[in-house]
């Protein structure tokens, strides 16, 4: 038994509209209220696209559901960075968290371990809690490279930000082959990598490793959440597709409350 609080976070990716988001948030509020005290045992977070953050923040008021962004600029403050959004701006519109280094950003937007570490540092510098995503591709898993890839991703962060920075954020293990594919890691596969992540960090600082929350992401649904979250080193989930359906997301939160 550990004392880490579970978190269930929804990454809405590039989905939604003003009307759809309003309906989703209202459904979440109603569904989570229906869980009663159980909902209070889990931290919940939604991460809409940038342009909807302010509206969703308003709709979430007093719900206990936190707001996060999916990305941020590696530079802080203001500046000539066309198309970028600074951590301070995310804070101003109500974000407490930000996802950093999602595999879609690594693969489709060529984000390197170094830029991701700089974004993580920018999040901390602006008062945001970063959620660092790590994970291997199918080819890397098949090539027995899972540990090496995850170690490289973590080591780059620690080299740039220092291990103490991990004490102020979360890590999400998201095997790329399980994202949006319907193919979830088995609980044993997830546990193995989560334990590896914790061990890698423990080599630097056992206290930080012990209190760090490591979320699992990749085709989490109401039907598989409970067995994943039952693993000793799985502290909740980072949910994509299923976070767009209020009923599914609420059921996943309920699974984390057990
Ligand atoms: P899916 O839950 O749709 O597989 O997405 C996972 C993910 O990428 C969350 O960040």
């Amino acid at each position: 038994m550990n004392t880490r609080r579970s978190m269930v976070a929804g990454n809405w990716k590039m989905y939604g509209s003003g009307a759809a988001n309003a309906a989703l948030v209202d459904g979440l509020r109603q569904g989570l209220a229906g869980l009663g005290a159980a909902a209070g045992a889990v931290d919940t977070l939604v991460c809409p696209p940038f342009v909807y953050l302010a509206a969703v923040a308003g709709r979430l008021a007093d719900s206990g559901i936190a707001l996060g962004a999916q990305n941020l600029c590696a530079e802080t403050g203001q500046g000539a960075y066309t198309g970028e959004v600074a951590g301070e701006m995310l804070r101003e519109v109500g974000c407490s968290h930000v996802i950093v280094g999602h595999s879609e950003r690594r693969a489709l937007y060529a984000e390197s371990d170094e830029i991701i570490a700089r974004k993580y540092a920018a999040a901390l510098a602006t008062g945001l809690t970063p959620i660092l995503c790590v994970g291997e591709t199918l080819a890397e898993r098949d090539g027995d490279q899972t540990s090496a890839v995850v170690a490289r991703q973590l080591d780059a962060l620690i080299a740039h930000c220092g291990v103490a920075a991990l004490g102020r954020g979360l890590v999400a293990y998201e095997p790329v082959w399980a994202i949006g594919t319907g193919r979830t890691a088995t609980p044993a596969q997830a546990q193995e990598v989560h334990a590896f992540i914790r061990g890698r960090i423990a080599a630097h600082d056992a206290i930080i490793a012990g209190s760090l929350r490591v979320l699992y992401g990749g085709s989490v649904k109401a039907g598989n959440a409970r067995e994943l979250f039952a693993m000793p080193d799985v502290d909740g989930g980072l949910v994509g597709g299923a976070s767009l359906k209020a009923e599914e997301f609420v059921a996943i939160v309920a699974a984390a409350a057990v």
Side-chain angles (χ1 to χ4, degrees), residues 11 49 78-79 98 101 144 149 171 175 194 210 223 246:
N11 174 8
Q78 316 245 325
V98 61
D144 232 356
V149 169
V171 171
H194 282 232

Side-chain angles (χ1 to χ4, degrees), residues 1-7 132 134 147 150-151 154-155 158 163 166-167 169-173 190-216 228-236:
M1 194 60 198
N2 66 64
T3 54
R4 297 184 295 271
R5 236 177 109 75
S6 296
M7 171 179 271
L132 173 74
V134 298
S147 303
V150 171
L154 288 174
D155 292 354
I158 293 169
V163 70
L166 281 170
L170 293 87
V171 171
Y173 169 56
Q191 169 58 26
E192 187 182 5
V193 181
H194 282 232
F196 174 80
I197 290 168
R198 211 177 291 290
R200 190 88 187 172
I201 296 165
H204 295 267
D205 190 313
I207 292 173
I208 287 174
S211 59
L212 176 74
R213 291 185 288 178
V214 184
L215 311 181
Y216 168 79
L228 286 162
F229 299 164
M231 295 292 109
D233 286 297
V234 178
D235 304 312

Side-chain angles (χ1 to χ4, degrees), residues 9-13 15 99 102-104 133 172 174-176 178-183 216-221 237-243:
N11 174 8
W12 293 1
K13 307 194 180 184
Y15 291 98
I99 298 169
H102 192 280
S103 63
E104 286 151 16
C133 298
E174 297 208 322
V176 179
I179 296 177
T181 59
R183 189 178 157 193
Y216 168 79
S219 298
V220 176
K221 316 183 256 287
L238 179 54
V239 186
S243 74

